[in-house]
Amino acid sequence: MMVCMGFNQFRALSVSKRVVRLSLILLFFGSHYNVNAQKLIQLDKDEIAKVKKKLKDGSASQETQKAYRSLISTADRLLEIDNPTVINKTINPPTNDKHDYLSISRYWWPNPNTEDGKPWIRKDGETNPDTQEDAVDRKRLGKMCKAVRDLSRAYYFSESEYYAKKGASMIRTWFLDTETRMNPNLEFGQSVPGIDKGRRSGILDGRMIPSYVLDAITLFSGSQHWTKKDNDAMNLWLNEYLVWLTQSDLGKKGAKQENNHGSWYIFQVTALAWYTDQKPLITKMVELIKENFDHQFDDKGRQLHELKRTRSFFYSCFNLDALTQAMAIADKAGIDIWQYTSEGGKSLKLAIDYLVPVTKGVQWEHPTKGVDVSYLVPILERVSSKIRDKEYKKIVKSVLTEIQGNEKPTKNERTLFKEFSLLKRSTF
């Protein structure tokens, strides 16, 4: 049973205020605003071009061909689904505007000690299934983002316009169409019934947008079904969301988080700034990464904020995943901080090396609900050519080979192997 919560202090935006805000966005970004910016965030254009060529001439490996067939099968199913939208939720946000995104924090449960169950209480690591239902938006946001990702990749490799047509329509439905669009803010992300204020942790939900949608737009940009008008409107939405992230009260609070939530905030701002050609913001995020090293890591490389969690190994990887993705984007912008060491002696390598022994069978000494080393693989692959540690590449190949021979891989292992087989086959 889902319960609606109130936010008495929330400042609802009127139509007139929205118009003013759009004007301020254009003023704020000035000449930096680039409606034609088309840059890849996650994908490597040279790598996927090589894979595409091999798929066309028949020289692709069996694993790559299998991953491609799986992608096309998934994309074919997506052609038949209804486009997800925020207005389909059955619980209204406090503004009563269904265009405002709403989710409920997954680890929170009704309070057994109060008559109405409020305020809800936190049980770290225990997902409340009610928070993942379609009554709120998080599940739909994830469905939309992943669908757009898969359709764009299917379009790129197959050149079938059917996939581009569907994917572009999904983007327009979620972000652009007046009747169905999401307002560019996360004021009600990861809400908690009975807590009468916005939560900065809700910004985490937004990571799926730069993670999946931006590259999809770039891949769709060669299609007749993604027009300059679409691109202009989408860039305006992204800029407005970026202004909310960096200028709103909740966004400013999000920037101050020192755990994985803060790192994913940095990733979002860095990715959006790169995509919309705003290097000063990237520089600002890089400085924030440097500042956070001494707050996030101890002298052994342990991530103390993440080790408090019931899934301590996963969250240690989750945090480094965000940091290394942000650092990879900064690298594209000409800012190299892979080797950075703080005044307190903290570095990315120190944090990674604390996790590496687990891949060699050393027991994880902190409480956790299982250890899946596949979560570490994308991090090691991302940094192996930057930190220049040959051991990292060996571990990546070893784990992927082990997954290949595993009859019962975990869900993440299956996803990881498909991803590497199709997009990064040269890694192993």
Side-chain angles (χ1 to χ4, degrees), residues 63 228 230 399:
E63 289 83 3
K228 184 178 185 300
D230 293 328
V399 174

Side-chain angles (χ1 to χ4, degrees), residues 190-419:
Q190 295 200 20
S191 305
V192 175
I195 296 181
D196 195 34
K197 59 181 179 180
R199 302 181 69 241
R200 63 185 185 178
S201 59
I203 295 173
L204 185 67
D205 288 6
R207 75 188 187 280
M208 291 183 282
I209 296 171
S211 290
Y212 299 141
V213 177
L214 299 187
D215 278 1
I217 294 172
T218 299
L219 295 182
F220 286 144
S221 64
S223 168
Q224 60 184 314
H225 296 292
W226 185 254
T227 67
K228 184 178 185 300
K229 180 180 178 181
D230 293 328
N231 206 62
D232 289 352
M234 191 65 209
N235 273 280
L236 185 59
W237 192 99
L238 292 169
N239 274 294
E240 189 171 4
Y241 177 53
L242 185 53
V243 167
W244 181 84
L245 282 172
T246 56
Q247 302 297 315
S248 70
D249 291 341
L250 209 57
K252 291 177 181 178
K253 291 177 182 177
K256 296 179 181 179
Q257 298 175 107
E258 295 175 353
N259 61 355
N260 71 81
H261 286 259
S263 298
W264 283 108
Y265 171 92
I266 290 171
F267 161 73
Q268 288 194 64
V269 173
T270 304
L272 291 165
W274 164 248
Y275 187 82
T276 56
D277 196 23
Q278 298 168 57
K279 189 173 179 179
L281 264 181
I282 299 176
T283 302
K284 185 176 180 180
M285 291 301 104
V286 167
E287 292 306 310
L288 191 53
I289 291 174
K290 292 179 179 179
E291 291 175 14
N292 281 349
F293 272 16
D294 281 325
H295 301 302
Q296 291 192 342
F297 311 145
D298 70 4
D299 57 3
K300 294 182 179 180
R302 294 177 297 191
Q303 300 173 65
L304 301 182
H305 296 292
E306 314 310 329
L307 294 181
K308 297 176 183 177
R309 307 297 298 272
T310 58
R311 300 171 65 199
S312 59
F313 183 80
F314 165 79
Y315 277 108
S316 293
C317 294
F318 192 52
N319 184 54
L320 294 186
D321 191 21
L323 285 176
T324 54
Q325 287 195 58
M327 293 167 77
I329 296 168
D331 199 1
K332 292 180 181 181
I335 307 173
D336 182 354
I337 55 169
W338 297 107
Q339 307 287 347
Y340 174 77
T341 300
S342 72
E343 291 184 2
K346 316 298 172 52
S347 67
L348 176 65
K349 189 176 189 307
L350 185 69
I352 291 175
D353 287 348
Y354 185 77
L355 303 178
V356 161
V358 177
T359 67
K360 303 174 183 179
V362 176
Q363 186 174 355
W364 182 249
E365 61 182 23
H366 309 281
T368 193
K369 294 183 177 181
V371 171
D372 186 341
V373 296
S374 65
Y375 285 110
L376 185 56
V377 169
I379 300 164
L380 295 178
E381 189 274 335
R382 203 171 289 133
V383 305
S384 59
S385 62
K386 304 297 180 179
I387 295 181
R388 303 193 183 283
D389 191 316
K390 293 181 180 179
E391 183 183 17
Y392 294 167
K393 288 186 177 181
K394 291 180 181 178
I395 294 171
V396 169
K397 292 180 180 180
S398 175
V399 174
L400 290 172
T401 301
E402 186 176 338
I403 293 173
Q404 187 175 13
N406 190 348
E407 294 183 359
K408 294 182 179 181
T410 65
K411 181 180 179 180
N412 192 66
E413 287 175 340
R414 289 195 301 271
T415 300
L416 179 75
F417 192 79
K418 286 183 181 179
E419 186 90 356

Side-chain angles (χ1 to χ4, degrees), residues 78-79 81-84 143-144 147-148 151 165-175:
L78 292 172
L79 293 175
I81 72 171
D82 293 333
N83 291 353
K143 182 178 182 181
M144 179 277 299
V148 166
L151 287 164
K165 182 178 181 181
K166 180 62 173 179
S169 74
M170 281 190 169
I171 295 173
R172 284 192 292 269
T173 296
W174 190 275
F175 296 102

